[in-house]
Amino acid sequence: MEPWQQSLQHSLTTVAQLAQRFPIDRAALEAVVARYPLRITPHYLGLIREIGDPIWRQCVPDPRELSLDTLLLDPLGEEQRSPLPAVIHRYPDRAVFLVSGACAVYCRFCTRKRKVGCAAMQFGRDDLLAGLDYIARTPQIRDVLLSGGDPLLLADAALAELLEGLRRIPHLEIIRIGSRVPVTLPERITPALCRLLGRFAPLYFNTHFNHPRELTPESSAACARLAEAGIPLGNQTVLLQGVNDDPAVMAELLRGLLRIRVRPYYLHHMDLAQGTGHFRTRVETGLAIIEALRGQVSGLAIPHYVIDTPGGRGKVPLQPEYLRKLGDRVVLRTPDGEELIFPNRLAE
């Protein structure tokens, strides 16, 4: 058994284990865990400083997850766009390949919390082979995202088999991997794994840092190993109330990501997923954060703020109003509030 697998085996998975460390209402949390699973790796557990802090909120069950609300079990309409259990085909040229049903840490805000870590998301070899076959016989698919659950909970041999199968498909140009293990289980990013992934270029890696305290020496070293293997790294952050809904916190996170060679890519407004309402912010909060970042951090550090629209109709970018039309000119508002007149086109 590899060290990362040993760490996973020693993860906290029960409310009783949590109660040994923190004073909690066991009965209330047991009810949540009966519906939505619990797992926190030793690494991520060690980042918690106190009950209710930004790390706690992301990984410890909350009774509000069981609140009755109008949010959706499947906010992105993935089930209606799944020709097979392991494939989501939302866009003509792209597909999501669900290759794992488990995660190192079960994030309480997950858009797939209806099934991640549950019996409803267990994939066998036949499911994965059927997914490969679907991608191979669908020539418009040029880009595949390996997701789940977390693809990197697969053993190296299983991951290699999948990647080799994908690379044999002539029309497939891009492979992407979405994984939170650099944050939650950084020891999984071994030199052997990096060599394996480096064989399948062009391969892009998106990870998921949400708070600057997640930028630990271990996570930074994991990202460095990936970068040194020639793998481009991006990050997708979710805007979470009580975690990162503050311009100073967000700026610290984004600057830190650039320092470890991870390009901020998306800032996601919360999906309308059932059981996550206590994490939601107003859209204006996200817009104010993006506006506050302008001129304060490098342009490389500013992500696209997006809403993934309900029903699976795709992402919509959200931007503060920096531009106002005025005939053949536009008025640009600078980050410091000054308005500048700029020609909209050359005079004819």
Side-chain angles (χ1 to χ4, degrees):
M1 184 179 293
E2 294 193 40
W4 68 269
Q5 293 170 317
Q6 293 173 356
S7 289
L8 200 61
Q9 200 170 61
H10 290 106
S11 295
L12 185 154
T13 57
T14 69
V15 174
Q17 291 171 312
L18 190 65
Q20 291 173 2
R21 294 172 174 266
F22 303 99
I24 57 171
D25 181 344
R26 286 187 56 172
L29 297 197
E30 290 281 10
V32 181
V33 173
R35 173 65 184 87
Y36 301 118
L38 165 66
R39 179 152 67 192
I40 311 172
T41 59
H43 172 82
Y44 204 67
L45 185 66
L47 302 185
I48 296 173
R49 294 178 183 170
E50 60 185 5
I51 291 175
D53 76 7
I55 307 301
W56 174 281
R57 285 178 60 80
Q58 293 184 74
C59 64
V60 174
D62 189 307
R64 289 175 291 181
E65 294 176 48
L66 299 180
S67 298
L68 294 176
D69 55 37
T70 58
L71 301 181
L72 308 172
L73 276 175
D74 181 15
L76 304 183
E78 292 181 337
E79 306 299 339
Q80 290 72 43
R81 291 162 177 80
S82 294
L84 298 168
V87 175
I88 303 166
H89 194 176
R90 290 175 59 193
Y91 302 102
D93 65 335
R94 282 156 283 168
V96 177
F97 193 4
L98 302 173
V99 299
S100 168
C103 290
V105 169
Y106 291 118
C107 299
R108 313 318 300 179
F109 51 86
C110 180
T111 194
R112 294 191 189 118
K113 70 182 295 169
R114 67 190 185 276
K115 62 181 184 178
V116 169
C118 303
M121 202 174 187
Q122 293 180 359
F123 300 113
R125 180 177 171 81
D126 288 347
D127 293 312
L128 300 183
L129 291 176
L132 283 171
D133 178 68
Y134 176 84
I135 295 165
R137 58 186 169 80
T138 311
Q140 64 264 41
I141 297 177
R142 297 185 298 170
D143 179 340
V144 165
L145 169 65
L146 300 189
S147 186
D150 199 304
L152 295 192
L153 289 200
L154 295 175
D156 285 4
L159 191 59
E161 183 179 11
L162 282 172
L163 292 171
E164 287 163 357
L166 290 170
R167 271 287 164 249
R168 286 195 291 268
I169 299 173
H171 56 264
L172 188 62
E173 299 172 0
I174 303 296
I175 298 173
R176 292 180 287 152
I177 292 177
S179 172
R180 191 151 152 82
V181 300
V183 182
T184 59
L185 186 68
E187 54 267 54
R188 172 65 182 106
I189 309 298
T190 62
L193 174 68
C194 294
R195 288 193 297 272
L196 167 63
L197 298 180
R199 289 166 39 200
F200 296 99
L203 183 146
Y204 295 83
F205 194 107
N206 274 328
T207 189
H208 185 175
F209 289 86
N210 286 326
H211 191 274
R213 273 182 25 212
E214 295 172 341
L215 298 167
T216 63
E218 296 83 0
S219 291
S220 300
C223 291
R225 287 191 288 273
L226 289 165
E228 287 158 11
I231 299 165
L233 297 169
N235 186 72
Q236 301 193 47
T237 293
V238 179
L239 182 61
L240 301 167
Q241 187 177 80
V243 174
N244 56 21
D245 57 335
D246 175 270
V249 170
M250 190 65 71
E252 184 182 354
L253 170 64
L254 299 175
R255 291 190 190 105
L257 287 169
L258 285 190
R259 283 197 301 271
I260 65 170
R261 290 182 278 181
V262 178
R263 173 74 186 272
Y265 177 41
Y266 279 141
L267 173 61
H268 281 277
H269 197 75
M270 274 289 303
D271 292 334
L272 297 170
Q274 194 171 98
T276 66
H278 53 293
F279 285 110
R280 293 185 59 76
T281 67
R282 294 179 61 84
V283 170
E284 291 88 344
T285 300
L287 290 172
I289 288 172
I290 295 296
E291 187 165 14
L293 293 173
R294 301 286 178 188
Q296 303 302 313
V297 301
S298 164
L300 280 172
I302 298 177
H304 301 286
Y305 180 34
V306 297
I307 287 179
D308 213 344
T309 50
R313 291 184 290 273
K315 296 179 179 66
V316 173
L318 302 168
Q319 295 181 340
E321 281 297 328
Y322 286 106
L323 180 149
R324 179 161 54 86
K325 291 184 179 180
L326 190 67
D328 287 342
R329 299 171 297 167
V330 295
V331 178
L332 305 179
R333 183 160 55 84
T334 66
D336 60 7
E338 183 182 359
E339 289 194 343
L340 302 176
I341 296 175
F342 188 83
N344 201 16
R345 62 182 180 185
L346 295 175
E348 296 179 356

